[in-house]
Amino acid sequence: MKKKSSVYHMAVCALMAAVMAVVGPMSIPIGAIPISFTNMVICLAVCLLGMKWGTVSVLVYLLLSMLVPQLVDSITTLVNNLESYYTTIYNWVTG
């Protein structure tokens, strides 16, 4: 059986880190501790990439969020204001 290339692993690793950055601010508020969608993406990364590369994708996300905290804030703002952006664009297109 042919092994997948390292380029594939790096690309999917970067993709999973980006998905974690987008989905990270979203959560389901149940009780005192909300359930974050980041956990789902971590499980998906480990299923797709295996333990080693899944861990690398989480570490890439953690390093990016530590080095660039504005990235997390801007993504959170974008996700929270998505409905107002949509209505503004809809009103602009429809006249």
Side-chain angles (χ1 to χ4, degrees), residues 43-90:
C43 292
L44 182 66
V46 171
C47 287
L48 287 177
L49 296 170
M51 187 68 90
K52 177 184 169 186
W53 286 100
T55 304
V56 169
S57 69
V58 173
L59 290 175
V60 166
Y61 169 69
L62 290 175
L63 284 173
L64 281 176
S65 61
M66 283 191 298
L67 296 175
V68 188
Q70 294 84 13
L71 175 71
V72 176
D73 291 336
S74 65
I75 291 172
T76 303
T77 305
L78 179 69
V79 169
N80 290 339
N81 296 329
L82 198 59
E83 184 178 348
S84 65
Y85 295 148
Y86 173 73
T87 52
T88 303
I89 293 170
Y90 178 77

